[in-house]
Amino acid sequence: MTGQAAVIDGKYEIVREVSREGHVTLSEVRAGEGVTRQVAWFDVTSPAARQGFHAYRAALRAVAPAGLTDVVARPGAYYAVWQPVTGTPLSEVAAQPVKHEETVQAVSALAAALAEHGYALPDADVVVEGRDVRVAYLRPAPPERTPEEVARLNAQALAALSGGRVRRQRRREPGAWLSFVPGLLLLGGAVYLGTQAARVYLNPPVREVAAVTGKPGQDAARSLTRAGFRVEYALGDAQGVPIGAVIRQDPAAGTNLPVGRLVTLTVNNPPSVPVPRLEELTVDQARTALRDGALALGKVIRADGTLTKTPQGRVIAQVPEAGATLERGQSVQLMVSTGVRGKETWLGNLTGLPYAAALQQVRVAGLVVTRVIQQPSDAPENTVLDQTPANYVRVPVGSPVVLTVATARASAPSQPTESLPLPPPPVPETPEPELGVPSEGDGGAPAVTPPAQTPTPETLTPETPAAGSTTPAPPPESLPEAPAAPEQLPAAPPADDAAAPPEAPPRTVNFRYEFPADLPAGNYTISVRDADGERELYGATDSSQFAGALAEGDEQVRGDAVFIIRRDGQEYATVTP
């Protein structure tokens, strides 16, 4: 309830605010049919405040107030409803010179009942109707109040009531003269009890402190107070212990302690923890996330995931929602999809699209790419050439899709290889006449021409004749053979067969890999590496599509092959067929 609220819990209309004490607001309200009531609203924002309200409710049950009409205790609504009670206020009764004995005894019994729950007479609005004592309203007691302070407040209230003369009820019965005998016995008992009380006060008994570790705080306090000890609470934090249970006691169990001494109980009150986001996770992944956050998995509800397009086994919603805070150890409820039922979808024409754009359209349509076939083509690399199912064919949501994408085609060199260099043609040398040898014109013997040496390629150099001069033609028998044309040159001798191993023939292998259900988040790719190099079979796909799925298919490879699964570019797993 806020200060601006006009209605409490949807049924009590606020007329005015009567008082405000601490975290309790008392308001005058109008209930059904115009009846006027008062509502004490408790602003419960912590475990300590909630525990205080439950102690207040226990006190109400003990004294059964006549003015109480209803007590509500549920998350977000803690309040008590009071109605008017007629009678004379206790303060006016105490001011009267003569009181009735029954009234004094009833007030004393009320004080004792309140003291058992940490309350005193000043906390209650008490009225007297005839000789009947009624509680019209009970105010919450301060949490730090001690039993000694309760006893002091009750003593003051009862002392004011005991002032003046108390009228005892007279009973006229035969043998009334013998009534002095019980009086004497009562007097003797009072003297004896007083003596014992003085002895106990001056020399209190010693008792052993019971072991209460692990018990609920209220049960532990009740056990110790019955043994005569005073109890005080302290807050602590421990794992594996229920909230509100005792995790430590001081003094320790087994200690001998005089009655009336203080025992401090440390109860488990861990800090709140945030609820993680569990949507789109599997139940096992959600359980792991909750366990890491010190929370527990609660009730799991199965629901149809058609409206939200949530795959089977994935979380649709959670209660409480992500970001809310809970006490450590509390549970979170989940709604899990049973799958997308009775819904069909279709794909547009993906031919000509880049693989990444086609993959996005497949995901939007609610389908899953399970295989990618690479085909040499003149189209740009990674361009979609074909698809299965065909475009605009209706298929169930979640059906597999096979895409055929283009890879670079092997081609011949763009420029032809140049011809082999040829040696230049040989040029014969002109011999010079030797000195002293007569020429033919002189009538001597004919000149002897020395045999020409066979030229070698290293000694042959092309000569350029001078302008206007004519190079004498060699004799026919000395002309060299014309060099062969390039097309007439013999082919290069084949390389030795042992120098190049034979090319491995293509073969078909089966790829099979089952992804774990708790697959780490990220983008996954599947590639194959063989004698032709490495090529990608499945493009980048979110882990939610692969988690718990079975990837299987036949692939044509050459030589030794290995399939590589990468997560965000890093190698995650390898499969050797």
Side-chain angles (χ1 to χ4, degrees):
M1 184 189 73
T2 63
Q4 292 77 18
V7 178
I8 297 177
D9 205 11
K11 54 185 176 180
Y12 297 106
E13 180 182 357
I14 298 178
V15 177
R16 64 185 181 91
E17 182 178 310
V18 178
S19 64
R20 184 187 296 269
E21 298 179 6
H23 63 284
V24 181
T25 303
L26 183 63
S27 303
E28 181 179 339
V29 300
R30 183 177 293 107
E33 300 179 357
V35 180
T36 301
R37 294 285 186 269
Q38 287 189 344
V39 173
W41 178 273
F42 289 72
D43 188 11
V44 176
T45 58
S46 64
R50 182 168 57 253
Q51 182 178 356
F53 179 83
H54 290 305
Y56 174 74
R57 185 172 62 173
L60 294 178
R61 292 175 178 174
V63 300
L68 182 66
T69 62
D70 190 14
V71 178
V72 176
R74 67 171 184 270
Y78 297 86
Y79 62 90
V81 183
W82 300 87
Q83 65 181 353
V85 178
T86 60
T88 305
L90 184 61
S91 58
E92 297 182 8
V93 174
Q96 295 175 359
V98 180
K99 294 91 173 175
H100 293 282
E101 183 180 11
E102 295 84 349
T103 302
V104 176
Q105 292 177 352
V107 173
S108 299
L110 175 62
L114 291 173
E116 291 183 359
H117 298 276
Y119 285 77
L121 278 175
D123 297 327
D125 292 344
V126 182
V127 297
V128 179
E129 181 70 18
R131 300 188 184 179
D132 186 17
V133 177
R134 304 177 177 178
V135 177
Y137 176 66
L138 181 63
R139 285 174 290 276
E144 65 277 1
R145 178 178 289 174
T146 62
E148 290 80 1
E149 187 177 356
V150 171
R152 181 181 57 80
L153 294 174
N154 283 336
Q156 293 176 355
L158 293 175
L161 187 64
S162 301
R165 186 165 60 90
V166 177
R167 179 182 298 174
R168 294 177 175 82
Q169 184 177 4
R170 294 182 179 181
R171 297 178 181 177
R172 295 182 180 182
E173 297 178 357
W177 57 276
L178 296 176
S179 60
F180 70 93
V181 176
L184 292 177
L185 294 177
L186 181 62
L187 179 60
V191 172
Y192 173 78
L193 292 177
T195 304
Q196 293 297 322
R199 186 178 64 83
V200 170
Y201 179 78
L202 296 176
N203 188 20
V206 176
R207 295 180 182 175
E208 182 178 344
V209 179
V212 294
T213 303
K215 295 182 178 180
Q218 292 185 353
D219 295 344
R222 189 178 299 111
S223 175
L224 293 174
T225 53
R226 287 175 180 173
F229 300 111
R230 294 184 294 112
V231 177
E232 184 179 72
Y233 289 112
L235 301 180
D237 182 10
Q239 295 184 358
V241 180
I243 298 175
V246 177
I247 59 178
R248 191 166 48 254
Q249 64 181 84
D250 185 27
T255 304
N256 292 324
L257 194 68
V259 172
R261 294 294 181 86
L262 178 66
V263 178
T264 302
L265 301 179
T266 303
V267 297
N268 188 26
N269 184 34
S272 301
V273 294
V275 178
R277 184 180 182 274
L278 306 176
E279 295 178 1
E280 299 181 0
L281 298 181
T282 64
V283 176
D284 292 338
Q285 292 172 339
R287 182 183 290 107
T288 301
L290 291 174
R291 184 172 60 248
D292 294 342
L295 298 174
L297 177 62
K299 186 177 181 181
V300 178
I301 302 174
R302 305 286 176 174
D304 185 20
T306 303
L307 294 179
T308 58
K309 296 183 180 180
T310 304
Q312 182 178 0
R314 301 285 174 166
V315 176
I316 301 175
Q318 63 185 84
V319 177
E321 61 184 8
T325 57
L326 292 177
E327 299 290 345
R328 190 165 55 196
Q330 289 186 304
S331 60
V332 177
Q333 300 183 12
L334 300 180
M335 179 181 291
V336 180
S337 171
T338 58
V340 179
R341 306 292 182 185
K343 189 170 183 180
E344 295 183 341
T345 184
W346 48 268
L347 279 175
N349 188 5
L350 306 181
T351 304
L353 293 179
Y355 173 74
L359 180 63
Q360 181 63 25
Q361 290 197 21
V362 171
R363 290 177 179 173
V364 171
L367 303 177
V368 181
V369 176
T370 59
R371 188 180 180 190
V372 178
I373 302 174
Q374 294 185 338
Q375 177 179 318
S377 173
D378 294 333
E381 192 171 1
N382 283 336
T383 300
V384 176
L385 302 178
D386 193 12
Q387 64 186 77
T388 303
N391 51 320
Y392 305 111
V393 175
R394 304 191 68 86
V395 293
V397 172
S399 297
V401 176
V402 178
L403 297 180
T404 302
V405 298
T407 58
R409 187 192 300 275
S411 58
S414 58
Q415 295 181 355
T417 305
E418 297 181 357
S419 301
L420 293 176
L422 299 176
V427 178
E429 295 183 358
T430 303
E432 296 180 358
E434 297 183 1
L435 297 176
V437 178
S439 63
E440 186 178 355
D442 295 334
V448 179
T449 303
Q453 298 180 355
T454 304
T456 62
E458 290 80 0
T459 59
L460 297 178
T461 56
E463 296 182 1
T464 303
S469 65
T470 303
T471 302
E477 58 275 5
S478 64
L479 287 176
E481 229 175 76
E487 56 271 9
Q488 297 176 353
L489 290 177
D496 189 5
D497 293 341
E503 187 177 24
R507 61 191 179 99
T508 301
V509 296
N510 179 262
F511 167 71
R512 178 184 175 88
Y513 181 78
E514 184 173 357
F515 289 88
D518 56 349
L519 186 67
N523 291 323
Y524 288 79
T525 61
I526 302 178
S527 304
V528 61
R529 182 190 300 144
D530 59 359
D532 293 336
E534 183 174 331
R535 59 187 180 274
E536 187 175 75
L537 303 180
Y538 291 84
T541 304
D542 189 71
S543 58
S544 61
Q545 301 290 333
F546 280 153
L550 175 64
E552 184 178 15
D554 295 334
E555 186 66 26
Q556 191 174 43
V557 299
R558 193 184 300 275
D560 295 335
V562 61
F563 293 90
I564 305 171
I565 303 172
R566 291 186 173 89
R567 172 176 173 262
D568 295 331
Q570 302 295 324
E571 184 172 308
Y572 176 75
T574 59
V575 178
T576 303

